[in-house]
Amino acid sequence: MMNISLRLRRPSRMVDGKRMRMTSSFQWLLLTFILLYLMNQVNSQKRGAPRDLKCITNNLQVWDCSWKAPSGAGHGTIYEVCIESRSHSCYQSEKTNAKIPALLPGDHEITINRLYDFGNPISKFTLNEKNVSLIPDTPEILNLSADFSTSTLHLKWNDRGSIFPRHLNVIWEVKILRKENTEIIKLVTHNTTVNGKDTVHHWSWASDMPLECTTHSVAIRCYVDDPHFSGRKEWSDWSPLKNISWSPDSQTKVFPQDKVILVGSDITFCCVTQEKVLSAQIGQTNCPLIHLDGENVAIKIHNISVSANSGTNVVFTTEDNIFGTVIFAGYPPDIPQKLNCETYDLKEIICTWNPGRPTALVGPRNTSYTLFESFSGKYVKFKRVEAPTNESYQLFFQMRPNQEIYNFTLNARNPLGRSESTILVNITEKVYPRIPTSIKVKDINSTAVILSWHLPGNFAKIKLLCQIEINKTNSVQERNITIRGVENSSYLVAVDQLNPYTVYTFRIRCSAETFWKWSKWSNEKKYLTTEAIPSKGPDTWREWSSDGKNLIIYWKPLPINEANGKILSYNVSCSLDEETQSLSEIPDPQHKAELQLDKNDYIISVVAKNSVGSSPPSKIASMEIPNDDLKVEQAVGMGNGILLTWNYDPSMTCDYVIKWCNSSRAEPCLMDWKKVPSNSTEAVIESDQFRPGVRYNFFLYGCRNQGYQLLRSIIGYIEELAPIVAPNFTVEDTSADSILVRWEDIPVEELRGFLRGYLFYFEKGERDTSKIRGLESGRSDIKVKNITDLSQKTLRIADLQGKTSYHLVLRAYTDGGMGPEKSMFVVTKENSVGLIIAILIPVAVAVIVGVVTSILCYRKREWIKETFYPDIPNPENCKALQFQKSVCEGNSALKTLEMNPCTPNNVEVLETRSAVPKIEDTEIISPIAERPEESSDAEPENHVVVSYCPPVIEEEIPNPGVDEAGGTSQVIYIDVQSMYQPQAKPEEEQESDPVGGAGYKPQMHLPITSTVEDLAADADLDKTAGYRPQANVNAWNLVSPDSPRSTDSNSEIVSFGSPCSINSRQFLIPPKDEDSPKSNGGGWSFTNFFQNKPND
């Protein structure tokens, strides 16, 4: 802040005087009074002095200082501003401001005083540059114009640089407003410099909205940036607004019209109309409306995509009309790629390039190209031919005389931008000749020709490098030659080292000697060289005929490179002691001749002839030296050939000849031959005629003293294969334990290799049920015999079984594999000795078993009889019932068998001996069959009921008569059987059979229920006396009569237990051993065989 001090001159001097003269005690009191007075004076002066001094500058040369006037100042007051540091420079002003020159940096004392106003205070200020503000003058826009086609505003103003003392940086700020309400849409800064003179500046701005859409306004202000000024720097005030508006005609339009923009850009379209716009769309997409002044609307499109060739439609729709425009979105031209300039003929330069990325702009908006050469200042424009963009473009530039180096710049331009590419070339090093034409060939001799051609272009200043391709059968050769270029484009060259009578194919391509590119190959030119004398004689061989009378001469046709022409005929001659004996001419293509010669040593000569001359003769001796020590060897080839080796023999002076043929062919055996030098010890025989699996004969001849001797005879295969047929074998003999087999050799043609052996398989098996899989199956039931003795043709198989079918299989094998199989089934003969033994052994075993069995049965007959057929007890010795002691005491040996759980029945005694009294025992009534009372009343008087007591029979009466029976006391069980019958026996039947109770009666005859049974009982009456065995064995039942099985049975004829008495229901005790266990077995049909012991 500026410091202000006020002072009064006169009061100050008085105070100072008083201070100097003060000597008394009232000094302090007086001083206090004076200070109060001075303070009052100061306050009174402040109310009447200038204050708040401020200074600004607009040009750094003059400071405009202003202050606030005192309250008592009136109109017409004059102020004096003095700068104390400048020799007391003062400036007068009638206003409250004054312009003073710019002061140097530092503090300066400024005083401001009102003139002609005595007694008024003086204001004093301290002024420094730091307290001064630099505020430029308000800029003035000279001109504001618009380019409506590009929506660009152009602004022009004067910077008034002449008012500044030095060069300064000035920052301009441009404010752009839109619409009638002056909405700020852009604030841009622009930097310039002032250099001491007035300068008019230009600035342009492209609007994102077409200028036709709404009013645009512009204002500017500036800021001076002086690094040497230490005060405050401030912006100037904004200039007055300048407006740009479009005056529409009567026709409504959409802006911009046919605009070309970059893909991905944002763009605004507007419709200037007096009608209300309802909708807007770009392509098929609807867009929201942006309302502008009046009825004008706009749409904003973001990141626009590539347009079609015809552009993209933008349409605004009103109630009555449709308005629109077309937009073209594409790319600026890409930098031309692969720019290359070369020449075909040193007359014209061809520059080619790739346009790069497509621009998507066509027609008048497409990219234009211009080729500019800087050294000559010439240029050519590209004449566009609509072509696919992936193809190269090219321009032709006429070469300048005596100019070799060219600097080309290719410019590309379209509405969205431009690009360029440059290249510097020495055109003599970029020669790419055209295709040579008009090739001609002319003979020099049989081995050389002259080759000529035409090459368009003027190459007189350079040398050409040409390549000639010489092609013949199975051979291609390329020769490079350098020739001087000519203006007339005709060239020729001699080509030598050719073969006579050979078809050659020539073609040519050329380049500059410095080499840039080969030209394309010319068309082929075929040419046949002329003939020459054959260079060699035919390769010959000879064979004696099978009868040894004729000598057959063979020769091979000469190769083309040795025949040197077409062979017309062959001259064959023989000589003895250098004297020609015969001469014959054999026309081609016959390659053998037969001569009738004796066994003398003749020299055979063969000469080939063509149209030019005859070849040197080929000679061979007819003599053949015998070899008694010759063995046939075997060999197998490798790949396509076979290797033959032999030991070095210095006596072989000529050469070696190897002859071979197919062994299956008839004599003379000759397929081909090969000659090797005499110093060789091996040779590989190869031929296209060799086939795998075919046997060949190889013969090695050595030449000694003009005679040939057979040294080795070899049979071999190039490759061995498996036989294709099986050996044919037959069975010559069979026996009970062996089979004799014989087989035949396989023909050589079908063997296809050296036979190494046979595999013979055999196993048991019937036809169509056995299949031998071979050795690899590992089956243990298959027997295999490997026969490696090739001379063996038979095989006996022993240790076989008689009358058995065997499956036999025979296969041959070579090193090439196993051949197919042949099989048969053979049945061995029957073994007679074995059959006899098979019969005798069972018979002998049966006899021995029978004898042993008979002995054992005889020795164990007692046990067998007791086990299977025990003795039936004698009824006389049976004591079935236990009588009372008074009744049975007469016989001390009498024993009774307790009947448990048998319930006794009534016993009716018909007659009684006089010696035995009648005893009536207590009657026990059976619950099953009880007699009615009426029947008991009708019985006779002598009827008594007693317990069972078997009669004592002293001796057996074999045939008791009827009379004796009537006088004997008989005990009859009447109810023993009836108790097990479904119903009791009728009374009438009991009375009608008085004799039925006499003697013993089998149980099966007890129930007499019919007339037929009564008749049978009467007929057998004589047989009922005494004991009678139960003969019906099938009716025996081994269970007790009281068991459920017996009681449940419905059979009327049931016998319980065996053996037992007819009158008993219990088993009888064996007669000899009463403690022995009871037999539970039934009868046996074989018991009569052992029935040889009398009853006890």
Side-chain angles (χ1 to χ4, degrees):
M1 294 292 295
M2 182 178 296
N3 296 325
I4 302 175
S5 63
L6 299 177
R7 65 182 180 176
L8 295 176
R9 295 177 182 177
R10 184 177 300 174
S12 297
R13 288 193 298 266
M14 290 175 65
V15 172
D16 290 340
K18 286 181 180 182
R19 287 179 180 178
M20 293 173 61
R21 292 190 302 267
M22 183 175 297
T23 58
S24 65
S25 60
F26 298 103
Q27 181 179 359
W28 293 104
L29 181 62
L30 181 60
L31 181 61
T32 303
F33 176 78
I34 294 172
L35 289 175
L36 292 174
Y37 176 77
L38 291 175
M39 291 178 63
N40 185 40
Q41 291 295 324
V42 168
N43 290 332
S44 64
Q45 289 182 6
K46 285 183 179 179
R47 288 191 296 268
R51 65 182 184 274
D52 297 338
L53 178 66
K54 294 181 180 179
C55 295
I56 64 172
T57 180
N58 62 354
N59 56 12
L60 297 177
Q61 300 184 67
V62 177
W63 291 1
D64 187 1
C65 297
S66 61
W67 58 88
K68 290 184 179 179
S71 58
H75 184 72
T77 303
I78 300 174
Y79 297 91
E80 181 183 40
V81 180
C82 296
I83 304 173
E84 297 294 335
S85 62
R86 281 194 176 185
S87 302
H88 198 69
S89 299
C90 296
Y91 304 92
Q92 295 182 357
S93 174
E94 296 180 356
K95 298 180 180 179
T96 58
N97 70 301
K99 292 184 179 181
I100 63 175
L103 301 179
L104 296 175
D107 293 336
H108 300 274
E109 188 174 296
I110 305 296
T111 60
I112 302 176
N113 185 24
R114 286 187 294 177
L115 295 178
Y116 312 113
D117 190 2
F118 300 98
N120 289 329
I122 298 174
S123 298
K124 185 178 182 180
F125 304 91
T126 300
L127 183 62
N128 193 307
E129 188 182 62
K130 295 179 180 179
N131 306 122
V132 178
S133 298
L134 175 58
I135 302 176
D137 293 336
T138 301
E140 181 182 0
I141 297 175
L142 299 180
N143 184 34
L144 177 64
S145 61
D147 185 356
F148 291 99
S149 63
T150 60
S151 297
T152 304
L153 291 176
H154 299 286
L155 180 65
K156 184 169 65 173
W157 73 95
N158 193 335
D159 63 359
R160 297 178 183 177
S162 60
I163 66 176
F164 294 98
R166 55 184 178 270
H167 283 77
L168 299 173
N169 294 324
V170 181
I171 301 174
W172 305 90
E173 192 171 56
V174 182
K175 178 173 61 175
I176 303 171
L177 302 92
R178 184 178 290 167
K179 299 199 309 185
E180 294 178 352
N181 57 1
T182 63
E183 173 187 347
I184 298 177
I185 61 170
K186 195 72 174 179
L187 198 62
V188 184
T189 59
H190 178 68
N191 297 326
T192 64
T193 60
V194 292
N195 52 10
K197 60 181 180 180
D198 293 344
T199 303
V200 177
H201 295 282
H202 299 270
W203 177 81
S204 299
W205 173 75
S207 173
D208 61 342
M209 179 182 290
L211 301 179
E212 297 91 342
C213 299
T214 185
T215 301
H216 288 74
S217 302
V218 178
I220 64 173
R221 65 178 180 175
C222 66
Y223 176 90
V224 177
D225 184 15
D226 184 5
H228 303 290
F229 180 74
S230 60
R232 292 188 303 273
K233 306 179 189 72
E234 298 181 11
W235 285 97
S236 69
D237 294 333
W238 286 104
S239 68
L241 291 176
K242 285 282 189 178
N243 298 328
I244 287 292
S245 60
W246 180 69
S247 300
D249 53 14
S250 59
Q251 183 180 4
T252 303
K253 292 186 178 180
V254 176
F255 302 99
Q257 287 286 322
D258 299 336
K259 181 74 173 179
V260 180
I261 65 170
L262 182 66
V263 174
S265 301
D266 298 339
I267 188 171
T268 303
F269 296 91
C270 69
C271 180
V272 179
T273 179
Q274 300 299 322
E275 303 178 37
K276 183 178 181 181
V277 177
L278 302 179
S279 64
Q281 65 181 21
I282 177 171
Q284 302 296 325
T285 305
N286 292 325
C287 302
L289 299 176
I290 301 173
H291 293 279
L292 303 176
D293 299 334
E295 297 296 336
N296 298 348
V297 295
I299 59 174
K300 183 81 171 181
I301 308 299
H302 298 279
N303 192 20
I304 192 166
S305 58
V306 178
S307 301
N309 291 340
S310 59
T312 303
N313 294 326
V314 179
V315 177
F316 290 86
T317 304
T318 64
E319 292 182 355
D320 300 326
N321 296 306
I322 294 177
F323 307 100
T325 184
V326 180
I327 185 72
F328 299 92
Y331 298 96
D334 200 357
I335 297 176
Q337 302 173 7
K338 299 180 181 179
L339 177 61
N340 177 53
C341 294
E342 59 190 11
T343 180
Y344 293 147
D345 49 14
L346 286 181
K347 296 179 179 179
E348 191 175 43
I349 299 174
I350 302 95
C351 291
T352 59
W353 69 93
N354 191 320
R357 179 186 61 188
T359 62
L361 301 176
V362 296
R365 291 164 290 277
N366 209 335
T367 304
S368 62
Y369 293 93
T370 302
L371 182 65
F372 175 74
E373 204 284 308
S374 61
F375 295 149
S376 63
K378 301 294 184 181
Y379 67 90
V380 290
K381 289 187 176 181
F382 175 68
K383 296 180 180 180
R384 176 168 298 280
V385 177
E386 295 298 333
T389 56
N390 58 352
E391 293 186 0
S392 296
Y393 294 164
Q394 64 180 10
L395 272 174
F396 294 90
F397 187 88
Q398 293 296 324
M399 291 183 60
R400 307 289 297 173
N402 301 321
Q403 183 179 348
E404 295 182 357
I405 299 177
Y406 293 83
N407 186 16
F408 290 106
T409 299
L410 181 65
N411 295 305
R413 178 179 299 177
N414 73 1
L416 295 177
R418 56 177 296 172
S419 63
E420 65 178 28
S421 180
T422 61
I423 185 173
L424 179 67
V425 297
N426 185 345
I427 202 61
T428 59
E429 297 177 355
K430 294 293 185 74
V431 178
Y432 178 36
R434 298 183 185 274
I435 302 175
T437 59
S438 304
I439 300 177
K440 297 180 180 179
V441 182
K442 185 178 180 181
D443 289 322
I444 298 177
N445 52 43
S446 61
T447 60
V449 296
I450 293 177
L451 191 63
S452 63
W453 67 91
H454 179 79
L455 185 64
N458 182 6
F459 302 105
K461 296 181 180 181
I462 64 172
K463 289 184 178 181
L464 296 178
L465 175 65
C466 293
Q467 188 175 73
I468 302 174
E469 183 184 83
I470 305 171
N471 191 346
K472 66 177 181 179
T473 305
N474 300 326
S475 176
V476 178
Q477 181 184 5
E478 292 179 351
R479 299 183 187 181
N480 294 334
I481 57 173
T482 302
I483 56 177
R484 172 68 64 177
V486 297
E487 294 184 3
N488 58 6
S489 304
S490 296
Y491 301 88
L492 56 88
V493 67
V495 181
D496 56 2
Q497 298 180 4
L498 304 178
N499 293 329
Y501 198 67
T502 303
V503 176
Y504 287 96
T505 300
F506 300 96
R507 62 176 185 168
I508 305 169
R509 62 180 179 178
C510 294
S511 175
E513 187 180 23
T514 54
F515 190 77
W516 163 245
K517 288 181 181 178
W518 285 114
S519 69
K520 294 182 179 179
W521 283 107
S522 66
N523 294 330
E524 294 181 347
K525 179 67 176 181
K526 289 187 176 182
Y527 188 76
L528 176 65
T529 56
T530 58
E531 294 187 9
I533 297 173
S535 59
K536 290 179 63 177
D539 185 6
T540 59
W541 181 244
R542 84 289 180 279
E543 291 284 335
W544 286 96
S545 62
S546 57
D547 55 4
K549 296 181 180 180
N550 294 333
L551 184 67
I552 304 174
I553 311 300
Y554 298 93
W555 62 89
K556 296 179 181 179
L558 288 172
I560 295 177
N561 59 342
E562 295 178 358
N564 295 337
K566 179 177 176 57
I567 300 301
L568 303 176
S569 62
Y570 298 91
N571 287 338
V572 181
S573 63
C574 64
S575 60
L576 181 64
D577 297 333
E578 297 183 357
E579 181 180 348
T580 302
Q581 299 292 329
S582 63
L583 178 65
S584 59
E585 184 174 356
I586 307 301
D588 190 74
Q590 185 176 344
H591 299 126
K592 75 173 183 176
E594 190 169 351
L595 303 178
Q596 188 174 0
L597 301 175
D598 52 26
K599 294 300 183 179
N600 291 325
D601 186 11
Y602 290 92
I603 300 299
I604 310 300
S605 298
V606 179
V607 175
K609 298 175 61 177
N610 62 11
S611 61
V612 179
S614 300
S615 69
S618 295
K619 296 183 179 182
I620 188 171
S622 65
M623 183 181 68
E624 186 164 338
I625 303 173
N627 187 356
D628 298 332
D629 187 16
L630 187 64
K631 297 180 180 180
V632 178
E633 306 173 25
Q634 293 183 355
V636 178
M638 50 180 185
N640 295 327
I642 187 170
L643 175 64
L644 301 181
T645 61
W646 59 89
N647 296 325
Y648 175 72
D649 189 354
S651 63
M652 297 301 165
T653 58
C654 306
D655 52 22
Y656 291 97
V657 176
I658 302 172
K659 179 189 73 171
W660 64 89
C661 64
N662 191 329
S663 61
S664 62
R665 293 185 181 180
E667 293 291 339
C669 172
L670 180 64
M671 177 186 293
D672 203 351
W673 68 90
K674 180 179 181 180
K675 292 182 178 182
V676 295
S678 59
N679 58 353
S680 301
T681 58
E682 65 179 20
V684 177
I685 309 302
E686 295 179 339
S687 175
D688 294 336
Q689 299 179 2
F690 285 154
R691 296 291 181 270
V694 178
R695 179 179 294 185
Y696 297 96
N697 293 339
F698 297 90
F699 302 95
L700 175 64
Y701 290 89
C703 178
R704 179 187 297 115
N705 297 327
Q706 301 298 324
Y708 285 93
Q709 183 181 27
L710 180 60
L711 302 180
R712 295 179 64 185
S713 177
I714 303 170
I715 59 173
Y717 293 87
I718 300 302
E719 181 183 356
E720 289 189 88
L721 302 177
I724 58 175
V725 298
N728 186 18
F729 75 101
T730 58
V731 177
E732 289 195 346
D733 182 39
T734 59
S735 63
D737 61 350
S738 65
I739 298 174
L740 179 61
V741 179
R742 177 180 295 276
W743 60 86
E744 300 175 358
D745 290 332
I746 300 177
V748 174
E749 295 81 2
E750 297 173 342
L751 193 58
R752 305 203 301 174
F754 293 116
L755 181 65
R756 301 305 180 191
Y758 301 91
L759 287 180
F760 193 87
Y761 308 84
F762 62 95
E763 67 169 348
K764 294 180 182 179
E766 300 293 338
R767 187 180 300 276
D768 299 332
T769 61
S770 176
K771 182 178 181 182
I772 295 181
R773 303 181 184 91
L775 285 173
E776 64 275 10
S777 65
R779 292 170 52 189
S780 60
D781 56 340
I782 298 177
K783 304 299 186 298
V784 182
K785 291 186 178 296
N786 186 10
I787 305 168
T788 57
D789 184 4
L790 303 182
S791 62
Q792 180 180 345
K793 295 295 183 289
T794 61
L795 176 67
R796 179 173 291 279
I797 308 171
D799 299 329
L800 304 180
Q801 296 181 5
K803 203 173 183 181
T804 303
S805 176
Y806 285 92
H807 185 197
L808 309 181
V809 176
L810 183 62
R811 304 175 71 182
Y813 64 90
T814 66
D815 289 339
M818 189 72 64
E821 64 181 35
K822 184 173 183 181
S823 64
M824 67 171 56
F825 291 85
V826 180
V827 181
T828 56
K829 295 181 179 180
E830 187 175 4
N831 192 343
S832 58
V833 176
L835 180 61
I836 295 172
I837 294 174
I839 295 174
L840 292 179
I841 290 176
V843 172
V845 171
V847 171
I848 293 172
V849 171
V851 172
V852 172
T853 303
S854 300
I855 294 172
L856 293 176
C857 291
Y858 179 75
R859 296 186 65 180
K860 299 292 183 179
R861 64 186 180 278
E862 295 294 336
W863 175 81
I864 294 174
K865 179 177 182 300
E866 292 176 1
T867 301
F868 296 99
Y869 200 85
D871 292 338
I872 299 175
N874 193 336
E876 294 179 356
N877 298 329
C878 179
K879 300 175 178 62
L881 297 174
Q882 182 179 3
F883 294 96
Q884 296 180 0
K885 185 177 181 180
S886 60
V887 178
C888 301
E889 61 184 359
N891 190 355
S892 60
L894 181 61
K895 297 179 179 179
T896 62
L897 178 65
E898 293 182 0
M899 298 179 61
N900 290 315
C902 178
T903 303
N905 288 299
N906 295 332
V907 179
E908 182 178 0
V909 179
L910 299 180
E911 293 183 3
T912 308
R913 294 182 182 179
S914 60
V916 181
K918 288 186 180 181
I919 300 173
E920 184 173 355
D921 196 359
T922 303
E923 184 176 359
I924 303 174
I925 302 173
S926 173
I928 301 176
E930 184 177 354
R931 293 183 181 274
E933 296 179 357
E934 297 85 280
S935 61
S936 60
D937 296 336
E939 291 179 352
E941 260 182 30
N942 58 356
H943 179 198
V944 291
V945 179
V946 297
S947 297
Y948 174 78
C949 182
V952 179
I953 302 175
E954 300 294 337
E955 59 181 350
E956 183 180 356
I957 303 173
N959 292 314
V962 178
D963 297 335
E964 295 175 355
T968 305
S969 178
Q970 300 284 338
V971 179
I972 299 175
Y973 299 96
I974 295 176
D975 290 333
V976 172
Q977 285 277 9
S978 63
M979 65 180 295
Y980 298 103
Q981 298 298 327
Q983 59 185 2
K985 183 179 179 180
E987 184 178 355
E988 294 81 3
E989 296 180 2
Q990 299 176 4
E991 296 177 352
S992 62
D993 191 10
V995 193
Y1000 174 82
K1001 236 183 174 185
Q1003 291 179 358
M1004 58 183 176
H1005 297 297
L1006 276 176
I1008 303 171
T1009 56
S1010 63
T1011 307
V1012 178
E1013 293 177 349
D1014 294 337
L1015 295 176
D1018 295 338
D1020 297 334
L1021 186 59
D1022 57 343
K1023 300 178 181 180
T1024 60
Y1027 177 81
R1028 201 174 173 195
Q1030 299 175 354
N1032 190 3
V1033 181
N1034 295 329
W1036 294 356
N1037 196 338
L1038 300 182
V1039 297
S1040 174
D1042 296 329
S1043 65
R1045 288 177 57 190
S1046 63
T1047 58
D1048 294 340
S1049 177
N1050 294 328
S1051 176
E1052 295 179 357
I1053 304 172
V1054 180
S1055 178
F1056 301 99
S1058 177
C1060 65
S1061 172
I1062 296 177
N1063 296 324
S1064 174
R1065 291 180 299 168
Q1066 299 296 329
F1067 293 109
L1068 298 182
I1069 301 173
K1072 291 198 174 188
D1073 188 3
E1074 297 179 357
D1075 297 329
S1076 62
K1078 298 177 182 181
S1079 174
N1080 294 327
W1084 180 33
S1085 62
F1086 195 59
T1087 55
N1088 294 330
F1089 180 77
F1090 301 99
Q1091 191 69 29
N1092 56 358
K1093 184 178 179 181
N1095 296 329
D1096 295 335

